[in-house]
Amino acid sequence: MLYQYTKEFRYNLKLAAPVMMGMLGHTFVGLIDNIMVGQLGTAELAAVSLGNSFMFIAMSLGIGFSTAITPLVAEADAENNFKNGKSAFKHGLFLCTTLGIALFLLILLAKPLMYLMKQPVEVVELAIPYLDLVAFSLVPLVSFQALKQFSDGLSMTKHPMYATLIANVVNVVLNYLLIFGKFGFPQMGIVGAAVGTLASRFVMVIFLWVLLRNKEKSREYVTHIKFFILENKMIKKIIALGFPSALQMFFEVAIFTAAIWLSGILGKNPQAANQIALNLSSMTFMVAMGLSVAAMVRVGNQKGLQKFTDLRRIAISIFLLGFFIATIFALFFVVCNQMLPKIYLDVKDVDNLADNMEVISIAAKLLIIAALFQISDAIQVTVLGALRGLQDVKIPTLITFIAYWVVGFPISYYLGLHTGYKSSGIWIGLLAGLTTSALLLYFRFNKLTKGLINKD
């Protein structure tokens, strides 16, 4: 009985592994920024956290919207319908690039909000120049996401991974040169980290386009594109899938962003600790995101073939694989909760020793809670991927809103600001929201797929 699911693990991992590596690459950019900036002090680390909190919201909308491209391309690929596949890619790329520009402008307009959020003044003043440059990187990032989701839809998941790895090398080198002023370069502090991020994202999008142009399977899709000859029907179809998908990711990312802001109300050390725990749990989440893309592609293929029994079996195999991997990560966080935060801070810095030790103590407690929600997080995101593959997006959007903002946020707010739990209370709310989301989304998937099989 179990074998019918486990026999799919090898192919699922083969498809998902490059996506995982690529998604981890995105998070690795943040990890490098955090580790290098952490050497400057806790105020600088908190400033990067605050600046990135605005970025997380914008990125969630851009990345979420771009996921509409994958199931459309996967379905067209299974049907051998080149025309529909190219149309989905062209319109998706146009809409994503437009969205990237709009999100950049929105962040510039939103900067004054930092002064109204009860954040430490020294942190806000450091965060604003950092945010100016990082915000502009949204334009190449969201365009890259369109190329990536198209590539994933064709099951060419390795190519975005290569682009992300190259971008990481660029980011690490520029960070080292510009944050600390090495080899004659100016010492720019956290603004240097922003320059590294911006440059690496331009490299990423150009490199992936060149790769896709040189591959036989994708060449005809990405060349000879008449960008401004657009069809209302395909635009409406992508928006109908992309807008709810963007909201789904927004609702989840926004509650984690709210955790950053709530932590900032508690002080710079709780905010820095929150950033460390969030960065570590984001890295494990990207593994689940890789499986989510695999679910989206494989379910989209089976939908195109109208094989609904296989669709359900393959999707459940991905949910199980996500569960097993998440359990390993949970154990890792429990065992290493005291050690991992020390990677981010200079524990030999005598002047900041008290601050650093407080940050490590808070972060260690948060990692225990993060260990608990690894499983919930993995299940909810892989099921969400399967539902996107089915092109079912409206009800899941409502589910994610209820889970995170009706259940999760009120718990975070009350326990974090009105009880002695403080930072741990904020993360207990996150745990409640993720668990609610996982349960409700699985019930939705179960009902839908059984209905399709019975109808078949």
Side-chain angles (χ1 to χ4, degrees):
M1 177 70 177
L2 189 62
Y3 177 70
Q4 66 174 317
Y5 302 115
T6 57
K7 70 179 182 180
E8 299 288 343
F9 281 8
R10 182 187 293 272
Y11 184 76
N12 290 339
L13 278 172
K14 182 181 177 183
L15 186 62
V19 184
M20 292 175 186
M21 293 298 292
M23 297 301 289
L24 281 167
H26 282 313
T27 313
F28 193 68
V29 170
L31 175 67
I32 292 299
D33 284 354
N34 286 328
I35 290 173
M36 289 188 173
V37 169
Q39 308 309 304
L40 301 175
T42 57
E44 284 82 359
L45 185 58
V48 169
S49 173
L50 179 59
N52 282 340
S53 71
F54 283 77
M55 285 294 293
F56 290 153
I57 290 177
M59 285 168 63
S60 72
L61 292 169
I63 293 172
F65 185 87
S66 72
T67 60
I69 299 168
T70 303
L72 294 175
V73 172
E75 186 177 13
D77 187 39
E79 295 170 342
N80 290 316
N81 190 329
F82 172 79
K83 183 182 175 183
N84 279 1
K86 181 160 185 173
S87 180
F89 166 65
K90 179 182 82 169
H91 289 80
L93 181 60
F94 174 83
L95 289 169
C96 284
T97 304
T98 305
L99 180 60
I101 295 167
L103 290 170
F104 160 57
L105 296 174
L106 278 173
I107 285 189
L108 291 187
L109 292 172
K111 280 193 304 179
L113 290 174
M114 287 188 183
Y115 289 103
L116 305 175
M117 291 163 50
K118 299 182 181 179
Q119 304 297 304
V121 175
E122 62 177 318
V123 171
V124 173
E125 289 177 351
L126 285 167
I128 284 181
Y130 171 82
L131 186 58
D132 285 337
L133 285 170
V134 174
F136 185 56
S137 75
L138 279 166
V139 180
L141 177 65
V142 181
S143 299
F144 170 80
Q145 279 300 129
L147 288 165
K148 175 196 175 302
Q149 298 295 348
F150 157 73
S151 186
D152 290 344
L154 288 181
S155 299
M156 298 171 65
T157 54
K158 290 181 181 178
H159 302 84
M161 177 189 72
Y162 298 145
T164 307
L165 292 174
I166 291 291
N168 272 316
V169 173
V170 172
N171 184 60
V172 171
V173 171
L174 288 178
N175 272 5
Y176 180 72
L177 295 175
L178 297 175
I179 292 175
F180 305 113
K182 300 294 184 180
F183 299 107
F185 284 82
Q187 186 175 347
M188 301 171 70
I190 67 172
V191 174
V195 173
T197 299
L198 175 61
S200 70
R201 285 176 176 166
F202 271 108
V203 168
M204 192 163 62
V205 68
I206 293 166
F207 189 82
L208 180 55
W209 184 80
V210 170
L211 276 180
L212 293 174
R213 188 191 64 181
N214 290 326
K215 291 294 176 181
E216 186 178 347
K217 186 174 183 179
S218 54
R219 183 182 299 124
E220 292 302 314
Y221 287 96
V222 301
T223 54
H224 309 298
I225 298 172
K226 296 175 181 177
F227 250 123
F228 298 103
I229 300 175
L230 303 171
E231 300 168 21
N232 283 336
K233 184 179 177 183
M234 183 56 79
I235 286 177
K236 287 177 181 177
K237 191 170 188 179
I238 291 173
I239 290 173
L241 284 175
F243 182 65
S245 296
L247 285 179
Q248 290 162 14
M249 192 168 284
F250 168 75
F251 291 143
E252 180 177 358
V253 170
I255 194 173
F256 279 90
T257 303
I260 293 172
W261 295 344
L262 291 173
S263 298
I265 293 171
L266 296 176
K268 70 170 184 177
N269 289 345
Q271 191 177 54
N274 182 85
Q275 177 66 5
I276 289 170
L278 180 60
N279 192 237
L280 287 166
S281 55
S282 294
M283 295 191 75
T284 58
F285 175 69
M286 292 307 165
V287 174
M289 276 289 285
L291 292 173
S292 178
V293 171
M296 200 177 352
V297 172
R298 297 203 69 191
V299 167
N301 288 156
Q302 296 305 312
K303 181 177 182 291
L305 296 169
Q306 300 286 296
K307 293 184 177 180
F308 299 119
T309 302
D310 285 343
L311 183 156
R312 179 180 167 85
R313 179 180 56 80
I314 287 167
I316 290 174
S317 76
I318 295 173
F319 306 160
L320 280 173
L321 183 57
F323 172 81
F324 292 142
I325 293 173
T327 302
I328 294 168
F329 284 139
L331 292 171
F332 176 67
F333 276 2
V334 169
V335 171
C336 301
N337 74 308
Q338 295 286 341
M339 182 178 68
L340 291 170
K342 294 177 183 177
I343 298 170
Y344 291 78
L345 298 166
D346 183 359
V347 293
K348 296 177 182 177
D349 182 355
V350 177
D351 293 335
N352 295 306
L353 184 61
D355 280 344
N356 288 347
M357 294 314 293
E358 184 185 358
V359 169
I360 290 167
S361 174
I362 297 169
K365 292 174 186 173
L366 298 184
L367 286 177
I368 297 295
I369 302 168
L372 294 173
F373 71 52
Q374 291 301 301
I375 294 168
S376 299
D377 210 4
I379 291 171
Q380 67 86 21
V381 76
T382 48
V383 177
L384 203 51
L387 289 169
R388 285 175 183 155
L390 284 167
Q391 298 177 28
D392 177 55
V393 290
K394 291 180 180 176
I395 298 298
T397 301
L398 179 62
I399 287 171
T400 53
F401 174 76
I402 291 169
Y404 301 127
W405 290 95
V406 177
V407 177
F409 180 73
I411 294 172
S412 287
Y413 182 84
Y414 177 73
L415 293 181
L417 300 187
H418 299 286
T419 73
Y421 286 105
K422 295 187 178 179
S423 293
S424 295
I426 294 170
W427 278 56
I428 289 169
L430 300 179
L431 172 61
L434 289 166
T435 303
T436 303
S437 178
L439 290 170
L440 294 178
L441 288 170
Y442 181 75
F443 292 151
R444 173 68 178 169
F445 169 83
N446 193 48
K447 179 183 176 182
L448 267 185
T449 51
K450 284 186 173 178
L452 287 169
I453 290 167
N454 291 335
K455 194 188 295 184
D456 196 24

